Amino acid sequence: MSMQPPSIADQSESSGTIVVVPVEPTAQAPMMTSKPKRGSKQFHSSLCSWYRTPCTCLLAALCPCIIYGQNQKVMLEKNGCVPDCLTYAFCSLFGGHACVGGKGRGILRNQRGIAGGCESDCCGHFFCSPCVLTQEKVELLDAGKYD
């Protein structure tokens, strides 16, 4: 039994003949089959660890978009934090900061192998974004990401 490349068959209506045209195999984009890493670690600090970085917590309470932008810049090794800061600020006007912040927290958890889920990330940002942003920054500090 010989293996032949796939082909496309086209039947001509007028002659009743079948024309076989060979088709070259094409490279397909890899399918995303793996799930995000789910870790078993915990954050190095609790949500109430504002005392480790009181200035960060104060800034997160007054203008959380700045801390969010800084965290994204450091975590994703970006050149600037303004686009992330503006996205968080704009979404905060409509309560969407929970989704934006939850996505960023999910990236951090996947990078660091920390257990958790989308629901807890979004709820944390919705109900207590200063605490969550401070916890994220402390995690990045402990990881040596901030200079």
Side-chain angles (χ1 to χ4, degrees):
M1 176 184 252
S2 67
M3 296 294 289
Q4 294 185 359
S7 62
I8 299 175
D10 182 24
Q11 185 173 0
S12 174
E13 291 180 20
S14 62
S15 66
T17 61
I18 297 176
V19 179
V20 177
V21 181
V23 177
E24 294 293 323
T26 58
Q28 295 180 358
M31 298 284 292
M32 291 294 292
T33 57
S34 62
K35 292 183 179 180
K37 287 193 302 185
R38 298 286 176 160
S40 58
K41 293 187 208 174
Q42 298 294 321
F43 280 94
H44 286 118
S45 60
S46 72
L47 280 175
C48 299
S49 61
W50 60 268
Y51 57 87
R52 287 191 58 192
T53 55
C55 292
T56 298
C57 189
L58 181 63
L59 185 57
L62 298 176
C63 195
C65 60
I66 293 174
I67 301 299
Y68 176 79
Q70 289 175 348
N71 287 349
Q72 293 300 301
K73 176 187 173 212
V74 170
M75 182 174 44
L76 301 175
E77 298 175 1
K78 294 181 175 182
N79 291 331
C81 64
V82 174
D84 291 312
C85 179
L86 292 176
T87 300
Y88 194 87
F90 179 74
C91 290
S92 293
L93 298 173
F94 309 104
H97 68 288
C99 296
V100 174
K103 182 180 180 228
R105 188 171 175 87
I107 293 169
L108 175 63
R109 281 188 307 92
N110 284 340
Q111 283 182 354
R112 305 282 298 144
I114 297 172
C118 179
E119 300 84 10
S120 63
D121 295 341
C122 291
C123 285
H125 272 277
F126 188 78
F127 291 109
C128 194
S129 58
C131 297
V132 171
L133 290 167
T134 301
Q135 184 185 39
E136 292 170 10
K137 183 162 184 173
V138 168
E139 186 69 26
L140 292 166
L141 285 166
D142 288 348
K145 297 265 188 169
Y146 272 95
D147 293 332

